[in-house]
Amino acid sequence: MRAVDFQLTEDQRDLRGGVRALLEGRYGRAALRASVDRGEGVDRGVDRGLWRELGEAGFFALRLPEEEGGTGLGLAEAVLVFEEAGRVLLPGPLVATHLAAGVVPGAARGTAVVTAFDLGGPFVAHLGGADAVLGMDGVPEGVPVRSVDPLTPLYRAAGPGAVPEALRDEGALLTAALQLGSALRTTELAVRYAKEREQFGQPVGAFQAVKHLCAGMLVRGEVARTAVYAAAVTGAPGEIAGAKLLADEAAVRNARDCLQVHGGMGFTWEADVHLHLKRAWVRAEQWRTAAQAEEVLAAELLAGSA
Amino acid sequence: MRAVDFQLTEDQRDLRGGVRALLEGRYGRAALRASVDRGEGVDRGVDRGLWRELGEAGFFALRLPEEEGGTGLGLAEAVLVFEEAGRVLLPGPLVATHLAAGVVPGAARGTAVVTAFDLGGPFVAHLGGADAVLGMDGVPEGVPVRSVDPLTPLYRAAGPGAVPEALRDEGALLTAALQLGSALRTTELAVRYAKEREQFGQPVGAFQAVKHLCAGMLVRGEVARTAVYAAAVTGAPGEIAGAKLLADEAAVRNARDCLQVHGGMGFTWEADVHLHLKRAWVRAEQWRTAAQAEEVLAAELLAGSA
Amino acid sequence: MDLTYTEEEEEFRARLRTWLGKALPELPPKPSPDDWPGRRAYDLGWQRRLYDAGYAGLHWPADAGGRGATPTQHLIFLEETERAGAPYVGANFVGLLHAGPTIAAEGTPEQRARWLPPVLRGDEVWCQGFSEPGAGSDLAALRTKAVRDGDEYVITGSKIWTSHAEVADWCELLVRTDPVSASVPKHRGISWLAMPMDAPGVTVRPLRTLAGSTEFAEMFLDEVRVPVGNRVGAENDGWRVTMVTLSFERGTAFVGEVVACRRTLAALARTAKANGRWDDPVLRRGLGRLHGEFGALWRLTQWNVSEAGRSGGVPGTGGSVFKLRYSHARQELYDLAAEVLGAAGGALSLDEEWTLDRLSSLSYTIAAGTSQIQRNIVAERILGLPKGR
Amino acid sequence: MDLTYTEEEEEFRARLRTWLGKALPELPPKPSPDDWPGRRAYDLGWQRRLYDAGYAGLHWPADAGGRGATPTQHLIFLEETERAGAPYVGANFVGLLHAGPTIAAEGTPEQRARWLPPVLRGDEVWCQGFSEPGAGSDLAALRTKAVRDGDEYVITGSKIWTSHAEVADWCELLVRTDPVSASVPKHRGISWLAMPMDAPGVTVRPLRTLAGSTEFAEMFLDEVRVPVGNRVGAENDGWRVTMVTLSFERGTAFVGEVVACRRTLAALARTAKANGRWDDPVLRRGLGRLHGEFGALWRLTQWNVSEAGRSGGVPGTGGSVFKLRYSHARQELYDLAAEVLGAAGGALSLDEEWTLDRLSSLSYTIAAGTSQIQRNIVAERILGLPKGR
């Protein structure tokens, strides 16, 4: 007898495994650090070769029907793919380009780079060299500002000044999936360091204080994972708001705890932990902030309790 | 050369020592548990004998000028005395009666029991057998409600429905001092238990997780102590609001952590920790709540930053 | 990933709902909290109705008299009974969830025949004698001693946190049959016994909690004689025998509670709307956040249940993850409730049910493994971090 | 308890204010953050002005060339210089606050005469060579090795987190002169040396932090020769010698920072008022709470200073209490700043000074003893809890 099965299907596991292998090969740690170095102080735009490869791998067209060149998969599969992208800190306007597939020519195949005014204000990410902006005709001029995240160039530009409302839920969910991947990754980084680094004659991970920091990270990650997967399956706005809230919190707080576990080494530019934290800060501001998510949830709670 | 000296003077130390000795003798643990047992289910009113002894010891008249039968001391000394009362969970409307000294006949000497509508609503503590209510003519009828704190009987009554505004700062500060005493006491209780209780072949206090809980308790207590003492010296409304906020937090959170350190034993009626937590909950609602204190502080911050 | 129920599952739910709609109104009035014999009768009566309707031992294997239901059916059962306001498992808790499954897994055919049917039928009540005053988190340090005397064990010691001891017929008891020594580590030398509660030498004393209630008891054992035939599993193998119980849990332990918390949260939102606190964004957003939190916890329950379903009933480590987060969220819920009510709304009055529940919530980070112990489990068993020196 | 300053103290403050009002406008323009020689010159220039005005080594004992000021005077000095926006101690940090006091306490008369006046006058810069890649929290596990060769030590190893190494003249260096063994615990066998930074074999490499800046450096030592006469204290007694430094601290370590945070918080309130976020009670109350927090931290500073004054300069354990709370509060401050600004207000832009300060705040729970180490200190040294197995 079949039962409600919240676990991943075989196909979903395969999809995730394939994406992970692709990204490990194409955007491993060396590539990450190279793009950090390359991007120093200047926006060199999205790596077009990589973007096309992502397109070929179905990153953007995943949810398009097969007759439109997609693979006809759903939000659940998209979330698994974006989780993997979040793990390796894949740069670029992934969410906006994915949402543009089937709408903006070239987005589906990764030949176009599409961004969005998803920061609720005059700032927009990855505007340099973008081919389109979701919900706008043409690409506005932008003034670069120094971004806190070396892999998310920011521009000040005149635009709609607001998140494209119709896409807000899907954008928030996919961004939550990116956060989830990062939260799971920083847990791994912290645990690995805690096993290797010795102080006072034993691995620091043998100290209960460090152990409990790591346990807290795992719990945050698993709760966020459940929320994100469930929201992907149901597509309910309230669940998506909850997923964004919990994934944002998991990504930011796990990065902070990962930094703490690493001690001084975590404070260096060389360690990847700051890249996770900075990206998590950026993504927490995208599509739906914590305050907005809480209001959505509160309204749903009250409506449902009537 | 004399310097700014935030430390206690010799006289202040003597005062505190004297009050501590008095309360240890007159209201030690056995007396505390006896009054818990005696008060079960019914308000037997304040222990008049104890109240008079407190009056004789200057508990209420402390700040009255000598010509009015007081000892002419200041808020700093009152705070030290109330801290001691908070340590031993001394019951009764201590703050209201202290504030009534010199206003309500008998309050100064402890022959009158005076309470106040300091809970911002229709509830008033210790109304049963009270001789007066601050800011009211006469004592209203009250309907007893079952109080969460076995040593703070509560009544629903018609009254001003608001905290007496003129006395709010002093009331909040003295209540903060009670909270401070409780926060320091629960730290001691937790540390003592952590040293005695053995699990897995060592005192639980040797486990870093327990150690760090206790360290957090000490920090909260010391920060609250500084805030309360400083507010007593300056009498500034902003500092008093900060002191109430920090002392409330220290009392409630330390009681919670004390309970956690005690494990199952902390969940028993026999352990004193619940008495501290319940009283801390009551006092957090008296004179100035956290939300009110934060607003006072915010307004002061903005005014001072102009 | 699939969150839609199958047709069979929906049918199961529908049948259950229909039955609940009929059975619940027929229940006698609920006894008062301190009427222990009344509570026993009420809880056993409910169990008997479940038995008659075919819902008893839903999650037990068929060869133990159970229905062999899937974890998801069990989840549906717990969800629906909670939603319908059916009685809690109450006095049947230990028999159905701990002692019974242990006997089912490790008992002899005779032991199963003797003890399991009365549990399922609602004839006998069990209690648990595991914790001791000196052995809380460190359960294996237990010292209650059983000395063999012919066909009997003679037992002396004391137990704590025993619920329903006043009205139990049997106690699943952990005793030390081999003293700890250089060659006997503390996890060895423990045996599992079924002790009749009316045996001479058993004294039960109620243990009052900070909530003022006496849900638990202390139990003092003074040369209590228990037949050797009441031992389940081999002598000195009781620790392993006890751990087996957990394999029946399958992630469903807190289903009812999460459903209840979500209902409580909705009630709190209504209260906040009615008393005006809803207009304070600090409280409103706090309620929204908790709605997201409990939504995720509900999904985590489903996740754990479906994981247990895959692994054939072996519990994942999801239980520790869930418990850590849930116990904290439950405390937050009642702290927020106190803020919504405020002093003026009765946050300090035991006449408000919220206040009693707030007090009870304090045990959640302690009972059944403190949060500190749970974090150790997560760190060492899931993350593989080393034990300290 | 008294928080009013004495007449003498108010006079001291008034004189200092007058002098600052005159001296600050005469300062040259501030060098850019990556102009290390410029920063050295600027910081030393400021130190020279302090020296000429009689404020150099205010808290040093008179027999070390200092002014023997009371802790309160020192507190006033730090408060007023911060309020006036005077330069930070900068490149003079190690000389004035670590190496200098150590030499003053433990050096020979010749060593004091050689090294202390140039520090006070602003002629020489010191850096600190304590931490190593493998010895962070566990500082005593350091492995940089010094082998005696006649009148010299030959030093090989590496150091990390050395600030101002690029422009320092001297390094206070901890080296292992006796290898750890069964009879030599790790806290023994360490010696304190003054190493000239221009000695052959010293290589400095900038260490970039997550804030993108290179405030720190790594230092590689390859058979560096240092005269034995540069050792302060006895051979193998360097751990004790180093700890002595702390006795000069007297609770004043964070005075300037707390004053600065209070100013920052006020600026944040103005920003919130201007951008409308002030009307959001969640943020407004958060700001109010932090105002209370930093108010208490300021009072705690005064408390610690007056306690140190009583105990004659021996630091209380108040330092750990303060640091635990302060480092957390500082991070909260910048997190709240990011919320007040929001993405639309530049919270993600390094063009906002807030953002850089937010990044820097991340080191506060790590540097100079992680929060975990500080909690151990509080628990073991203040509360007397036992060390674990």
Side-chain angles (χ1 to χ4, degrees), chain B residues 3-5 12 211-212 239 249 294-295 300 305, chain D residues 1-2 5 9 270 284 289 291 299 376 380 386:
Chain B
V4 162
D5 192 352
Q12 288 170 337
K211 221 174 249 188
H212 288 192
E239 289 213 88
E249 186 184 277
E294 284 165 1
E295 291 290 6
E300 188 196 80
S305 78
Chain D
M1 283 188 277
D2 191 355
Y5 291 94
E9 285 162 353
R270 281 194 302 273
R284 187 176 64 241
R289 174 168 284 268
H291 182 46
R299 295 307 189 187
N376 281 352
E380 291 169 10

PDB file of all heavy atoms in Angstrom, chain B residues 3-5 12 211-212 239 249 294-295 300 305, chain D residues 1-2 5 9 270 284 289 291 299 376 380 386:
ATOM      1  N   ALA B   3      37.889  59.576  44.196  1.00  0.00           N
ATOM      2  CA  ALA B   3      37.497  59.447  42.793  1.00  0.00           C
ATOM      3  C   ALA B   3      36.010  59.108  42.734  1.00  0.00           C
ATOM      4  O   ALA B   3      35.405  58.766  43.754  1.00  0.00           O
ATOM      5  CB  ALA B   3      38.295  58.331  42.132  1.00  0.00           C
ATOM      6  N   VAL B   4      35.426  59.247  41.540  1.00  0.00           N
ATOM      7  CA  VAL B   4      34.078  58.715  41.350  1.00  0.00           C
ATOM      8  C   VAL B   4      34.113  57.295  41.868  1.00  0.00           C
ATOM      9  O   VAL B   4      34.992  56.522  41.502  1.00  0.00           O
ATOM     10  CB  VAL B   4      33.703  58.645  39.854  1.00  0.00           C
ATOM     11  CG1 VAL B   4      32.525  57.700  39.662  1.00  0.00           C
ATOM     12  CG2 VAL B   4      33.350  59.993  39.316  1.00  0.00           C
ATOM     13  N   ASP B   5      33.224  56.949  42.745  1.00  0.00           N
ATOM     14  CA  ASP B   5      33.266  55.592  43.291  1.00  0.00           C
ATOM     15  C   ASP B   5      31.882  54.991  43.226  1.00  0.00           C
ATOM     16  O   ASP B   5      30.991  55.349  43.974  1.00  0.00           O
ATOM     17  CB  ASP B   5      33.789  55.619  44.727  1.00  0.00           C
ATOM     18  CG  ASP B   5      34.120  54.197  45.182  1.00  0.00           C
ATOM     19  OD1 ASP B   5      33.790  53.250  44.442  1.00  0.00           O
ATOM     20  OD2 ASP B   5      34.699  54.073  46.261  1.00  0.00           O
ATOM     21  N   GLN B  12      26.774  51.494  53.305  1.00  0.00           N
ATOM     22  CA  GLN B  12      25.851  50.733  52.450  1.00  0.00           C
ATOM     23  C   GLN B  12      26.067  49.241  52.610  1.00  0.00           C
ATOM     24  O   GLN B  12      25.116  48.468  52.666  1.00  0.00           O
ATOM     25  CB  GLN B  12      26.024  51.161  50.989  1.00  0.00           C
ATOM     26  CG  GLN B  12      25.458  52.562  50.731  1.00  0.00           C
ATOM     27  CD  GLN B  12      25.825  53.108  49.361  1.00  0.00           C
ATOM     28  OE1 GLN B  12      26.815  52.689  48.760  1.00  0.00           O
ATOM     29  NE2 GLN B  12      25.034  54.056  48.870  1.00  0.00           N
ATOM     30  N   LYS B 211      27.780  24.793  32.535  1.00  0.00           N
ATOM     31  CA  LYS B 211      28.681  25.886  32.890  1.00  0.00           C
ATOM     32  C   LYS B 211      28.280  27.182  32.189  1.00  0.00           C
ATOM     33  O   LYS B 211      28.233  28.246  32.784  1.00  0.00           O
ATOM     34  CB  LYS B 211      30.067  25.458  32.420  1.00  0.00           C
ATOM     35  CG  LYS B 211      31.177  25.768  33.332  1.00  0.00           C
ATOM     36  CD  LYS B 211      32.456  25.145  32.806  1.00  0.00           C
ATOM     37  CE  LYS B 211      32.875  24.022  33.701  1.00  0.00           C
ATOM     38  NZ  LYS B 211      34.205  23.496  33.360  1.00  0.00           N
ATOM     39  N   HIS B 212      28.006  27.058  30.909  1.00  0.00           N
ATOM     40  CA  HIS B 212      27.699  28.259  30.134  1.00  0.00           C
ATOM     41  C   HIS B 212      26.318  28.812  30.469  1.00  0.00           C
ATOM     42  O   HIS B 212      26.109  30.030  30.414  1.00  0.00           O
ATOM     43  CB  HIS B 212      27.863  27.967  28.642  1.00  0.00           C
ATOM     44  CG  HIS B 212      29.301  27.833  28.238  1.00  0.00           C
ATOM     45  ND1 HIS B 212      29.724  27.806  26.944  1.00  0.00           N
ATOM     46  CD2 HIS B 212      30.435  27.726  28.990  1.00  0.00           C
ATOM     47  CE1 HIS B 212      31.041  27.677  26.906  1.00  0.00           C
ATOM     48  NE2 HIS B 212      31.484  27.613  28.137  1.00  0.00           N
ATOM     49  N   GLU B 239      17.132  55.810  32.840  1.00  0.00           N
ATOM     50  CA  GLU B 239      17.942  54.771  33.498  1.00  0.00           C
ATOM     51  C   GLU B 239      17.049  53.829  34.297  1.00  0.00           C
ATOM     52  O   GLU B 239      17.311  52.634  34.386  1.00  0.00           O
ATOM     53  CB  GLU B 239      19.031  55.382  34.377  1.00  0.00           C
ATOM     54  CG  GLU B 239      20.124  56.030  33.544  1.00  0.00           C
ATOM     55  CD  GLU B 239      21.511  55.943  34.176  1.00  0.00           C
ATOM     56  OE1 GLU B 239      22.222  54.946  33.938  1.00  0.00           O
ATOM     57  OE2 GLU B 239      21.883  56.888  34.896  1.00  0.00           O
ATOM     58  N   GLU B 249      14.249  40.993  32.805  1.00  0.00           N
ATOM     59  CA  GLU B 249      14.804  39.962  31.944  1.00  0.00           C
ATOM     60  C   GLU B 249      15.728  39.035  32.727  1.00  0.00           C
ATOM     61  O   GLU B 249      15.700  37.812  32.563  1.00  0.00           O
ATOM     62  CB  GLU B 249      15.569  40.634  30.804  1.00  0.00           C
ATOM     63  CG  GLU B 249      16.063  39.685  29.758  1.00  0.00           C
ATOM     64  CD  GLU B 249      16.895  40.418  28.716  1.00  0.00           C
ATOM     65  OE1 GLU B 249      16.295  40.998  27.803  1.00  0.00           O
ATOM     66  OE2 GLU B 249      18.136  40.413  28.817  1.00  0.00           O
ATOM     67  N   GLU B 294      10.754  50.040  26.959  1.00  0.00           N
ATOM     68  CA  GLU B 294      11.422  50.246  25.671  1.00  0.00           C
ATOM     69  C   GLU B 294      10.972  51.551  25.018  1.00  0.00           C
ATOM     70  O   GLU B 294      11.778  52.263  24.414  1.00  0.00           O
ATOM     71  CB  GLU B 294      11.140  49.057  24.749  1.00  0.00           C
ATOM     72  CG  GLU B 294      11.963  47.826  25.122  1.00  0.00           C
ATOM     73  CD  GLU B 294      11.464  46.540  24.476  1.00  0.00           C
ATOM     74  OE1 GLU B 294      10.479  46.598  23.713  1.00  0.00           O
ATOM     75  OE2 GLU B 294      12.044  45.500  24.756  1.00  0.00           O
ATOM     76  N   GLU B 295       9.702  51.872  25.161  1.00  0.00           N
ATOM     77  CA  GLU B 295       9.223  53.125  24.571  1.00  0.00           C
ATOM     78  C   GLU B 295       9.826  54.339  25.279  1.00  0.00           C
ATOM     79  O   GLU B 295      10.198  55.325  24.640  1.00  0.00           O
ATOM     80  CB  GLU B 295       7.686  53.185  24.615  1.00  0.00           C
ATOM     81  CG  GLU B 295       6.992  52.181  23.677  1.00  0.00           C
ATOM     82  CD  GLU B 295       7.141  52.518  22.192  1.00  0.00           C
ATOM     83  OE1 GLU B 295       7.860  53.457  21.832  1.00  0.00           O
ATOM     84  OE2 GLU B 295       6.501  51.798  21.381  1.00  0.00           O
ATOM     85  N   GLU B 300      13.736  58.693  24.858  1.00  0.00           N
ATOM     86  CA  GLU B 300      14.899  59.378  25.410  1.00  0.00           C
ATOM     87  C   GLU B 300      16.057  59.365  24.414  1.00  0.00           C
ATOM     88  O   GLU B 300      16.766  60.363  24.250  1.00  0.00           O
ATOM     89  CB  GLU B 300      15.325  58.707  26.718  1.00  0.00           C
ATOM     90  CG  GLU B 300      16.396  59.493  27.427  1.00  0.00           C
ATOM     91  CD  GLU B 300      17.103  58.685  28.494  1.00  0.00           C
ATOM     92  OE1 GLU B 300      18.005  57.891  28.162  1.00  0.00           O
ATOM     93  OE2 GLU B 300      16.745  58.860  29.661  1.00  0.00           O
ATOM     94  N   SER B 305      19.411  62.538  20.890  1.00  0.00           N
ATOM     95  CA  SER B 305      20.244  62.456  19.693  1.00  0.00           C
ATOM     96  C   SER B 305      20.027  63.652  18.775  1.00  0.00           C
ATOM     97  O   SER B 305      20.662  63.773  17.747  1.00  0.00           O
ATOM     98  CB  SER B 305      19.923  61.174  18.921  1.00  0.00           C
ATOM     99  OG  SER B 305      18.731  61.332  18.183  1.00  0.00           O
TER     100      SER B 305
ATOM    101  N   MET D   1      28.044  54.290  46.819  1.00  0.00           N
ATOM    102  CA  MET D   1      27.764  54.497  45.399  1.00  0.00           C
ATOM    103  C   MET D   1      27.675  55.980  45.097  1.00  0.00           C
ATOM    104  O   MET D   1      26.921  56.695  45.731  1.00  0.00           O
ATOM    105  CB  MET D   1      26.429  53.842  45.035  1.00  0.00           C
ATOM    106  CG  MET D   1      26.517  52.352  44.906  1.00  0.00           C
ATOM    107  SD  MET D   1      24.988  51.649  44.268  1.00  0.00           S
ATOM    108  CE  MET D   1      24.019  51.533  45.752  1.00  0.00           C
ATOM    109  N   ASP D   2      28.449  56.402  44.173  1.00  0.00           N
ATOM    110  CA  ASP D   2      28.480  57.814  43.857  1.00  0.00           C
ATOM    111  C   ASP D   2      28.877  57.946  42.403  1.00  0.00           C
ATOM    112  O   ASP D   2      29.877  57.377  41.977  1.00  0.00           O
ATOM    113  CB  ASP D   2      29.506  58.509  44.762  1.00  0.00           C
ATOM    114  CG  ASP D   2      29.395  60.012  44.664  1.00  0.00           C
ATOM    115  OD1 ASP D   2      28.592  60.498  43.824  1.00  0.00           O
ATOM    116  OD2 ASP D   2      30.101  60.705  45.399  1.00  0.00           O
ATOM    117  N   TYR D   5      31.421  63.282  39.834  1.00  0.00           N
ATOM    118  CA  TYR D   5      32.878  63.387  39.785  1.00  0.00           C
ATOM    119  C   TYR D   5      33.338  64.415  40.811  1.00  0.00           C
ATOM    120  O   TYR D   5      32.617  65.371  41.138  1.00  0.00           O
ATOM    121  CB  TYR D   5      33.314  63.795  38.375  1.00  0.00           C
ATOM    122  CG  TYR D   5      33.066  62.705  37.357  1.00  0.00           C
ATOM    123  CD1 TYR D   5      31.895  62.670  36.596  1.00  0.00           C
ATOM    124  CD2 TYR D   5      33.995  61.690  37.175  1.00  0.00           C
ATOM    125  CE1 TYR D   5      31.671  61.660  35.683  1.00  0.00           C
ATOM    126  CE2 TYR D   5      33.766  60.664  36.259  1.00  0.00           C
ATOM    127  CZ  TYR D   5      32.604  60.665  35.514  1.00  0.00           C
ATOM    128  OH  TYR D   5      32.386  59.653  34.618  1.00  0.00           O
ATOM    129  N   GLU D   9      38.496  65.864  39.459  1.00  0.00           N
ATOM    130  CA  GLU D   9      38.206  65.138  38.226  1.00  0.00           C
ATOM    131  C   GLU D   9      37.558  66.056  37.195  1.00  0.00           C
ATOM    132  O   GLU D   9      37.860  65.990  35.998  1.00  0.00           O
ATOM    133  CB  GLU D   9      37.291  63.930  38.529  1.00  0.00           C
ATOM    134  CG  GLU D   9      38.058  62.794  39.203  1.00  0.00           C
ATOM    135  CD  GLU D   9      37.166  61.782  39.904  1.00  0.00           C
ATOM    136  OE1 GLU D   9      35.944  62.012  39.999  1.00  0.00           O
ATOM    137  OE2 GLU D   9      37.697  60.760  40.374  1.00  0.00           O
ATOM    138  N   ARG D 270      18.292  58.792  14.734  1.00  0.00           N
ATOM    139  CA  ARG D 270      18.020  59.913  13.812  1.00  0.00           C
ATOM    140  C   ARG D 270      17.733  59.392  12.407  1.00  0.00           C
ATOM    141  O   ARG D 270      16.809  59.842  11.742  1.00  0.00           O
ATOM    142  CB  ARG D 270      19.230  60.855  13.758  1.00  0.00           C
ATOM    143  CG  ARG D 270      19.324  61.811  14.933  1.00  0.00           C
ATOM    144  CD  ARG D 270      20.326  62.932  14.650  1.00  0.00           C
ATOM    145  NE  ARG D 270      21.656  62.438  14.342  1.00  0.00           N
ATOM    146  CZ  ARG D 270      22.588  62.173  15.261  1.00  0.00           C
ATOM    147  NH1 ARG D 270      22.321  62.351  16.538  1.00  0.00           N
ATOM    148  NH2 ARG D 270      23.777  61.726  14.910  1.00  0.00           N
ATOM    149  N   ARG D 284      11.554  50.496  16.664  1.00  0.00           N
ATOM    150  CA  ARG D 284      11.687  51.550  17.674  1.00  0.00           C
ATOM    151  C   ARG D 284      11.989  50.945  19.037  1.00  0.00           C
ATOM    152  O   ARG D 284      12.879  51.383  19.739  1.00  0.00           O
ATOM    153  CB  ARG D 284      10.403  52.379  17.716  1.00  0.00           C
ATOM    154  CG  ARG D 284      10.500  53.608  18.605  1.00  0.00           C
ATOM    155  CD  ARG D 284       9.236  54.436  18.513  1.00  0.00           C
ATOM    156  NE  ARG D 284       8.077  53.729  19.009  1.00  0.00           N
ATOM    157  CZ  ARG D 284       7.001  53.428  18.277  1.00  0.00           C
ATOM    158  NH1 ARG D 284       6.941  53.781  17.019  1.00  0.00           N
ATOM    159  NH2 ARG D 284       5.993  52.776  18.823  1.00  0.00           N
ATOM    160  N   ARG D 289      15.529  49.295  23.511  1.00  0.00           N
ATOM    161  CA  ARG D 289      16.159  48.227  24.285  1.00  0.00           C
ATOM    162  C   ARG D 289      17.684  48.352  24.233  1.00  0.00           C
ATOM    163  O   ARG D 289      18.364  48.225  25.247  1.00  0.00           O
ATOM    164  CB  ARG D 289      15.718  46.871  23.717  1.00  0.00           C
ATOM    165  CG  ARG D 289      16.391  45.666  24.318  1.00  0.00           C
ATOM    166  CD  ARG D 289      15.677  44.392  23.896  1.00  0.00           C
ATOM    167  NE  ARG D 289      14.436  44.233  24.629  1.00  0.00           N
ATOM    168  CZ  ARG D 289      14.340  43.550  25.777  1.00  0.00           C
ATOM    169  NH1 ARG D 289      15.398  42.954  26.293  1.00  0.00           N
ATOM    170  NH2 ARG D 289      13.186  43.453  26.401  1.00  0.00           N
ATOM    171  N   HIS D 291      19.344  51.016  23.702  1.00  0.00           N
ATOM    172  CA  HIS D 291      19.724  52.211  24.465  1.00  0.00           C
ATOM    173  C   HIS D 291      19.868  51.837  25.949  1.00  0.00           C
ATOM    174  O   HIS D 291      20.818  52.255  26.617  1.00  0.00           O
ATOM    175  CB  HIS D 291      18.668  53.296  24.269  1.00  0.00           C
ATOM    176  CG  HIS D 291      18.977  54.583  24.973  1.00  0.00           C
ATOM    177  ND1 HIS D 291      20.219  55.189  24.925  1.00  0.00           N
ATOM    178  CD2 HIS D 291      18.205  55.371  25.757  1.00  0.00           C
ATOM    179  CE1 HIS D 291      20.185  56.296  25.653  1.00  0.00           C
ATOM    180  NE2 HIS D 291      18.983  56.430  26.171  1.00  0.00           N
ATOM    181  N   ARG D 299      27.556  52.043  32.446  1.00  0.00           N
ATOM    182  CA  ARG D 299      27.632  51.994  33.906  1.00  0.00           C
ATOM    183  C   ARG D 299      28.504  50.833  34.372  1.00  0.00           C
ATOM    184  O   ARG D 299      29.203  50.944  35.371  1.00  0.00           O
ATOM    185  CB  ARG D 299      26.222  51.853  34.502  1.00  0.00           C
ATOM    186  CG  ARG D 299      25.305  53.048  34.244  1.00  0.00           C
ATOM    187  CD  ARG D 299      25.948  54.335  34.676  1.00  0.00           C
ATOM    188  NE  ARG D 299      24.991  55.446  34.621  1.00  0.00           N
ATOM    189  CZ  ARG D 299      25.340  56.709  34.822  1.00  0.00           C
ATOM    190  NH1 ARG D 299      26.607  57.046  35.072  1.00  0.00           N
ATOM    191  NH2 ARG D 299      24.420  57.654  34.765  1.00  0.00           N
ATOM    192  N   ASN D 376      33.672  30.065  29.954  1.00  0.00           N
ATOM    193  CA  ASN D 376      34.431  29.154  30.815  1.00  0.00           C
ATOM    194  C   ASN D 376      35.076  29.922  31.965  1.00  0.00           C
ATOM    195  O   ASN D 376      35.063  29.473  33.111  1.00  0.00           O
ATOM    196  CB  ASN D 376      35.559  28.476  30.016  1.00  0.00           C
ATOM    197  CG  ASN D 376      35.054  27.341  29.160  1.00  0.00           C
ATOM    198  OD1 ASN D 376      33.895  26.947  29.249  1.00  0.00           O
ATOM    199  ND2 ASN D 376      35.929  26.805  28.327  1.00  0.00           N
ATOM    200  N   GLU D 380      34.242  29.117  35.727  1.00  0.00           N
ATOM    201  CA  GLU D 380      35.245  28.467  36.568  1.00  0.00           C
ATOM    202  C   GLU D 380      35.874  29.419  37.573  1.00  0.00           C
ATOM    203  O   GLU D 380      36.017  29.086  38.744  1.00  0.00           O
ATOM    204  CB  GLU D 380      36.316  27.806  35.695  1.00  0.00           C
ATOM    205  CG  GLU D 380      35.744  26.601  34.929  1.00  0.00           C
ATOM    206  CD  GLU D 380      36.667  26.050  33.852  1.00  0.00           C
ATOM    207  OE1 GLU D 380      37.846  26.462  33.792  1.00  0.00           O
ATOM    208  OE2 GLU D 380      36.194  25.211  33.055  1.00  0.00           O
ATOM    209  N   PRO D 386      33.456  23.269  38.514  1.00  0.00           N
ATOM    210  CA  PRO D 386      34.628  22.418  38.289  1.00  0.00           C
ATOM    211  C   PRO D 386      34.960  22.266  36.811  1.00  0.00           C
ATOM    212  O   PRO D 386      34.092  22.372  35.954  1.00  0.00           O
ATOM    213  CB  PRO D 386      34.193  21.073  38.874  1.00  0.00           C
ATOM    214  CG  PRO D 386      32.712  21.079  38.806  1.00  0.00           C
ATOM    215  CD  PRO D 386      32.275  22.497  38.961  1.00  0.00           C
TER     216      PRO D 386
END
